[in-house]
Structure formats: C-alpha cells, structure tokens
Amino acid sequence: MAEQKRDYYEVLGVDKNADEATIKKAYRTLAKKYHPDANPGDAEAEKKFKEASEAYAVLSDADKKRQYDQFGHAAFDGGAGGAGGFDFNGADFGDIFGDIFGDFFGGGRRSSGARANEPMKGDNIRTSIRITFEEAIFGCSKEVELTVKETCKTCNGNGAKPGTTPETCSKCGGKGQVVYTQQSFFGTVRNVQACPDCQGSGKIIREKCSDCRGTGYIPMRKKYSVDIPAGIDNGQSIRKPGLGEPGVNGGPRGDVLIEVIVGRHPIFQRQDMNIYSTVPVSFAVAALGGEIFIDTVDGKVIYDVKAGTQTDTKIRLKGKGVPSLRNKELRGDHYITLVVQVPDKLSNEAKELLKQFDAACDDSLNAVAKEQNPDDGKDGKDGKKKKFWK
C-alpha cells in the first residue's frame, strides 16, 4: 500500500490562511535544515527535503494552491516526474537556494531578482573617536576626518568618458538580472541572479572616465563636526545620517557610525549612571570626626566625617553621577568608599603621644602581655614570658 502524503500545510508548519511571505519563510527554514548538502548520506533528511520542496512548489503558486485547496492531493495525481509524482518544472526556487548555498559555503549573496537594478542605500562608514572621562559625562564637540566618495565632476557621476554615455547591457536588456534554468534531482529550477556583465546596474560603460575610472565617484578627505551627548558610555555609537557611501542606482547615501572610546580616569569608575571612587581619611579625622574634601566630576565638595568612622564606610553623594542620555536633568549618584589611613612614618614625639592615647583608651599595645601573664607578665622562677604557641 502506497504511503499517504501529508498535508502540504502540515509539512511546512503553516496555517491555511498563511500569506506568501510566511510560506516562503517556513520553506527556507526547512530547506536549510534538510538540504542534502547539509546532511550527506542521510536518506531521511533527503526525503523531508523533497517533501518540503513539493509542498512549497504548490503553495507558492497561486493557481496550484487554489487547486490544492479545492481538491487536495488528487489535483495532481498522474503528474509527470518529480518527487512523489509531482512536476516541479516552472517552480522558482532561485532566491531561496541562493541564500542556502551562500550559507553552506560561507559566502554572502548579492541582492538580486526583481530588485537588482532598483535604488539601494549606500553602505555605512564606521570610525571611532577618543574622548576623556569628563567629556563623556558632560558632552563635547569633536571633529572627525573621513575619506568619502563625492560625485565625479568630470563625468557627472555616470562613469563614462566625457562625450560618451553608458550603454544598455545587452546580456540582461537593462534589467540588471538574468535567469538561469538548471536541472536538479527534483526537477527544473529557475535561478534569478544579478547580471554578471553589468553587476545589476543594467548599464555598460565602454569608455570609462579617466578621473574616476568608471566608478562615478572621487574619494575625498572631509572633516565633520560631531556633537557628543552628555552621558554617553564607552562603546556606544553616534549616527550621522547621509554621510556614508553613495547609494546604488540613485539610492540614498549610507550613514556614518562613530564609536566613542572613553579614556580611563585615575580616580573615578563608572557603572551605568553611577560613579564610584575611594577617598582616604586620616586616623585622627576618622576617630574624632571632621571635614574632608571629596573630588567629584563637578569639582571638590566638603564632607563632614562622623567620629568613629571605620574603614570601608560607604557614603553617597546624590545627583553627582552621570547624566541620562534621554534627560539631561536626571543624574545618577556618586558612591564613595572611605579608607582610614594608618601613618607609616611617625616622629618619636608622635609615637609617645600615640602610646599615651592608647593607654588612655584600652591599652591595646599591652593586651598580649596582659593575657600571657596577669601577674606582672612573668611565669615562675625563670622569669620568662609564657607563650601560647609551639
């Protein structure tokens, strides 16, 4: 008993009311997954590929789709050749297989088909600019110099030698595309590609302009002013519309994308809209309390340290952080870690005063001696201090 065919909509995983774009997208996904080149020697994958191709050949054709919706598989019983008795002749898989083969062999695929000689936007130009930490916080104006293509004045941009004009491409008839028909294991396939003679422009230049060498453009160095917004972060980009590469067939220019590289700061670190830093505090100020200066991006501010402040104490200066890119009036905060500094150089007088201070507090300098020997620090007749380690 012959195996019963699955419903074409079920094969592609689409609804019966799916539009052409949805059907095409579904088939492209299945074709890439089960294509024999991606699954060499896998008979099951080949079977599913043929099944999906047959379903797409029917559902992508308005007339065949109408017949299938009315009569089901019976509409094509007795058809010539093809997978499962279906005729693939005339089915257009060109653009889909162009994508698939481009993926398999690691190459990109130039846009072709009906859009081959239509206007297309030019490529974007990417560059970078370095700014300081403070410039990123408050914004600034910088200048970038780029090599851009300008319309050749000699040929007015058509690429032809003065006195001549571009000719209509004889291979594609000015359409910018050619259609190749080839036989495959599932039938005849039409493949629409950009014309190799005119590269999709529909025009041939017999005598090229000597200044631009037929490109229609002259590379020139130009300087542009760039406004860096306050609050921009490292790695973010600024877009300058319409300053990129020229468009194709009269299309608009691309854009210039400027990546911002923010330099490191010796004191401040940034995380989103907040700033972090560490501030040293003298032992005396930490113990007794007092005012200190704290550096911020807005300048120095005075902060009153509380008596008895311990090292690693965290404080916050509200509104002293990074401005929001969307709202300049909104700013983050500045978080400071206070670190108590221990003096490493003391005069004899300072040492004596510190000993007196310690004795007046908890006499920590003699804590070990007292713990070892509560009775004058001696142990027995030998007069040696008792130790607690081996």
Side-chain angles (χ1 to χ4, degrees), residues 35 95 135 176 334 359:
H35 195 282
D95 58 339
E135 288 174 333
H334 187 163

Side-chain angles (χ1 to χ4, degrees), residues 42-56:
D42 190 335
E44 185 63 24
E46 181 177 343
K47 177 182 177 182
K48 290 183 177 180
F49 176 73
K50 291 181 177 181
E51 184 182 46
S53 298
E54 179 177 331
Y56 176 70

Side-chain angles (χ1 to χ4, degrees), residues 66-81:
R66 178 183 56 77
Q67 295 179 56
Y68 178 74
D69 289 343
Q70 185 174 1
F71 302 106
H73 292 296
F76 311 108
D77 286 347

Side-chain angles (χ1 to χ4, degrees), residues 97-165:
F97 290 135
D99 285 338
I100 294 174
F101 294 131
D103 288 344
F104 288 160
F105 299 107
R109 187 177 68 90
R110 181 186 175 114
S111 177
S112 60
R115 300 185 300 274
N117 59 350
E118 287 186 359
M120 291 186 294
K121 185 178 180 179
D123 293 334
N124 295 330
I125 297 177
R126 297 180 181 274
T127 187
S128 61
I129 192 170
R130 295 182 179 273
I131 62 175
T132 66
F133 187 90
E134 288 83 0
E135 288 174 333
I137 301 300
F138 298 109
C140 62
S141 180
K142 292 288 184 177
E143 192 176 69
V144 294
E145 187 173 6
L146 302 170
T147 298
V148 297
K149 295 177 181 178
E150 292 295 329
T151 301
C152 176
K153 296 181 179 179
T154 303
C155 64
N156 294 320
N158 64 18
K161 179 181 178 180
T164 66
T165 56

Side-chain angles (χ1 to χ4, degrees), residues 21 40 56 66 116 195 235 244 248 273 297 306 311 316 345 373 382:
Y56 176 70
R66 178 183 56 77
C195 176
V248 179
M273 291 176 58
V297 291
K306 295 180 180 180
T311 194
R316 181 182 72 159
K345 293 181 180 180
N373 188 0
D382 59 3

